[in-house]
Amino acid sequence: MVKVTVDGIPVEVAAGSSALQACEAAGKEIPRFCYHERLSVAGNCRMCLVEVAGGRKPVASCGFPIGEGMQIFTDTEVVRRARRAVMEFLLINHPLDCPICDQGGECDLQDQAFGYGADHSRYRENKRAVTDKYLGPLVKTVMTRCIQCTRCIRFSTEIAGVPELGGISRGENLEITNYVEKALTSELSGNLIDICPVGALTSQPYAFTARSWELKRTDSIDVCDAVGTNIVMHARGAAVLRIVPRINDEVNEEWLSDKGRFVVDGFRRRRLDRPWVRVDGKLQPASWQDAFSTIAMRLKNVPGERIGAIAGDMCDAESMMALKDLMETLGSSNIDCRQDGAKYDTSRRDFYIFNSGIAGIEDADALLIVGTIPRQEAPVLNARIRKRFLAAGRGGFPIAMIGAPNADPTYAATVLGAGPDTLAELADGKLPFADVLKNAKKPMIIVGHGALTRPDGQAIAKACWDLAAQVGAIAPDWHGFNVLHTAASRVAGLDLGLVPGARGRDVAGMLDGGVDVLWLLGADEFATDRIGPETFVIYQGHHGDAGAARADVILPGTLYAEKPGTYTNTEGRVQEAFRAIMPPGDAREDWRILRAFSEVVGRKLPYDTIEALRARMKRACPVFGAAWARHATSDTTPPQAGSVAMSGDPFHPVIADYYLTHAVCRASPTMETCSGIYVHPANQAAE
């Protein structure tokens, strides 16, 4: 630690810290534009000037290293005049767009011009104009407003790993551009909107929609993947208008995937807002009483073993708990939360979660990725892997992949092979990377659903576990066996036991004629034509997607923005989301629908409030009432290998189109546009 004095206040900061960090430790506010805590230091805006005792001129505090006994002054006349001059230069060419700029009310330049600028301008010449750049359908550019802070360049290069932005020319002719006019190819491009300190980069879908002070803010959790990104929903009236990230250093830092950010315009489209009942082959609107009566009549004389339920990928834990309880009261053990058919051993929790924690990636010193493409399945988590890769220096954090030979993970990774045979070669020490894992102090293995959704998924999971135990990745102080899920509801579903009972049928068994009545709770991600024509289907959900099209009765549920709910992310962290808006029409919270129906069939569930339901969840699975902690164990007993032997077939990606992975995405015009540009460009060109 180094002792310095800031405006007479003694502070201790870590050696190697900057003067700006020392000032913040002393509680002093230092204005800045180019400096960002998670980006490299550029030192080009000069707004963070401070005075150092013994110095002949103010210094840029963001890049000025501290020394023992240094005295720093943040509010002298010299500093005030210097900051005023810097602000005057910044405003020379900046347009007076504040009344029409979407950054209004959230603009760092506005705030700092008010706090540190002058009340007049001495500049009389014409302002320069800069051509706007095309960055795709998500980020809108007004480059005349750009102050060349280069945050966007550093983010795209360092965090996103897609170096598509840069500067051309020099001096007053400098422009930030993407060189070749094309859409940005990062799944994290929306974060450019957040880090831009002015209105040069704003949200294209949100343009001219609302002002920040008009919006009600609600904390929530992103359910577009299994990372559990912390978000804030901004709503006005009955609609969520935008979604922005919320800082959580343990999960997402301050980043958010493009899908989680821009899917918002799908919230109100293709919504189910009333019950429907199929009469003479056609769906007709109905009342709740009629819908419940129709289901109750169909369930009469149907034995429990002929009733089944499937939970979807975006369900909250409360609704899954209620669904499981309802199935148990009906005498059914046919329940499953694995639409994709993934295979897990659920006898121990560390067999199916990301044990080291997402932040634990930064502690690992070698990484093996098996059957997953993190860039598509969990972009925010992939950014954490890249962060670790950059922190260690090229070659300092060795990464290898099995499967996905053509993927661009945004960091250097060696592709060892295409399928499970490579795991056997690693276990036998036939590949050089086996020694890399053995010599690492904290090796990590990430297993994805490209490996687990196969018939031999359990055998592959066991092989990965055995390899982890062999190389020392499972120890009392480190658990490097990690499963990367793709569904936000999956870990909570497994925790609550939404898997078939002793004689129960899984998803495949239920779809292939194993049940007479099938209850779909937001389940759309499978081929509904597999459901036999004689099966009576109840669809409970919020969007009119594949499941609703096949249903005999539709019960309108609520979207994650319209209800309080509990979600467990891939690392097993339990997080709570809150209601941002009210649901449309007659839609109701999913657990309330199940509770109301249970009373109609005379099998009343034992809770009337969400607090009572959550108490039931804690009794069923204590993790819902416990603080999260990283898993560590000395028990290397492997998971069950299952009944299917490991084959040599190569792994295949589980996501065909990143932008259209669930019903809300498919209802979103923005996501449809992105799919056309990034995934199916040939089809768009033909149109």
Side-chain angles (χ1 to χ4, degrees), residues 104 125 135 206 247 282 301 324 338 406 422 528 565 569 625 632:
E125 288 75 17
L135 301 183
Y206 177 72
I247 296 176
K282 293 184 178 181
N301 303 321
K324 183 174 187 288
R338 305 164 301 173
N406 299 320
T422 309
T528 54
N569 73 348

Side-chain angles (χ1 to χ4, degrees), residues 166-198:
I168 60 173
S169 300
R170 301 181 67 184
E172 69 172 358
N173 295 318
L174 174 64
E175 293 186 27
I176 307 300
T177 177
N178 53 350
Y179 305 116
V180 178
E181 189 171 283
K182 67 182 185 67
L184 297 175
T185 58
S186 170
E187 295 81 6
L188 297 169
S189 64
N191 294 286
L192 294 172
I193 299 164
D194 296 331
I195 65 170
C196 181
V198 295

Side-chain angles (χ1 to χ4, degrees), residues 17-164:
S17 299
S18 66
L20 188 149
Q21 292 170 316
C23 293
E24 290 189 333
K28 300 296 181 178
E29 179 184 346
I30 304 297
R32 81 290 298 268
F33 292 113
C34 67
Y35 177 79
H36 191 281
E37 292 81 358
R38 304 188 195 276
L39 302 176
S40 61
V41 175
N44 54 4
C45 79
R46 321 308 288 181
M47 193 64 199
C48 63
L49 295 173
V50 297
E51 196 172 3
V52 177
R56 289 182 290 180
K57 60 181 180 179
V59 299
S61 60
C62 65
F64 193 80
I66 59 169
E68 183 68 36
M70 181 181 288
Q71 296 185 48
I72 303 171
F73 304 97
T74 68
D75 193 29
T76 64
E77 181 60 29
V78 171
V79 169
R80 285 194 292 270
R81 283 193 284 106
R83 290 176 181 171
R84 201 155 41 240
V86 169
M87 181 60 66
E88 186 174 13
F89 279 115
L90 287 174
L91 294 177
I92 279 177
N93 285 307
H94 198 80
L96 295 175
D97 283 352
C98 298
I100 61 162
C101 178
D102 275 325
Q103 197 81 349
E106 301 171 310
C107 177
D108 292 349
L109 188 63
Q110 272 186 343
D111 297 340
Q112 294 183 36
F114 182 80
Y116 303 98
D119 59 357
H120 64 281
S121 172
R122 296 178 289 176
Y123 194 73
R124 296 292 179 264
E125 288 75 17
N126 293 328
K127 292 178 181 285
R128 77 164 187 165
V130 182
T131 304
D132 293 341
K133 309 300 186 292
Y134 172 74
L135 301 183
L138 303 179
V139 181
K140 176 186 175 184
T141 64
V142 183
M143 300 310 293
T144 302
R145 302 172 187 160
C146 178
I147 61 171
Q148 292 89 42
C149 70
T150 70
R151 280 189 185 183
C152 56
I153 298 174
R154 285 174 284 147
F155 173 84
S156 61
T157 302
E158 299 166 11
I159 307 297
V162 182
E164 296 175 336

Side-chain angles (χ1 to χ4, degrees), residues 495-496 574 616-627:
D495 285 342
L496 294 172
V574 179
R616 163 78 178 103
M617 288 162 47
K618 293 174 185 177
R619 291 193 300 271
C621 183
V623 298
F624 287 96

Side-chain angles (χ1 to χ4, degrees), residues 21 37 81 187 207 234 251 307 309 334 361 452 459 554 568 654:
Q21 292 170 316
E37 292 81 358
R81 283 193 284 106
E187 295 81 6
H234 289 174
V251 180
I307 303 171
N334 304 317
I361 293 171
L452 300 178
I554 296 175
T568 306
V654 294

Side-chain angles (χ1 to χ4, degrees), residues 519-535:
W519 197 300
L520 303 179
L521 181 61
D524 296 283
E525 309 309 319
F526 58 85
T528 54
D529 55 7
R530 291 177 56 190
I531 304 175
E534 69 284 350
T535 303

Side-chain angles (χ1 to χ4, degrees), residues 458-518:
Q458 277 190 259
I460 295 172
K462 180 181 182 300
C464 291
W465 179 281
D466 289 341
L467 178 62
Q470 179 181 328
V471 301
I474 302 175
D477 60 344
W478 173 254
H479 202 323
F481 177 83
N482 297 311
V483 175
L484 178 57
H485 290 275
T486 57
S489 65
R490 186 63 51 85
V491 174
L494 298 175
D495 285 342
L496 294 172
L498 270 79
V499 291
R503 297 184 179 180
R505 298 179 183 272
D506 60 8
V507 168
M510 287 186 274
L511 296 181
D512 294 338
V515 295
D516 297 330
V517 178
L518 181 60

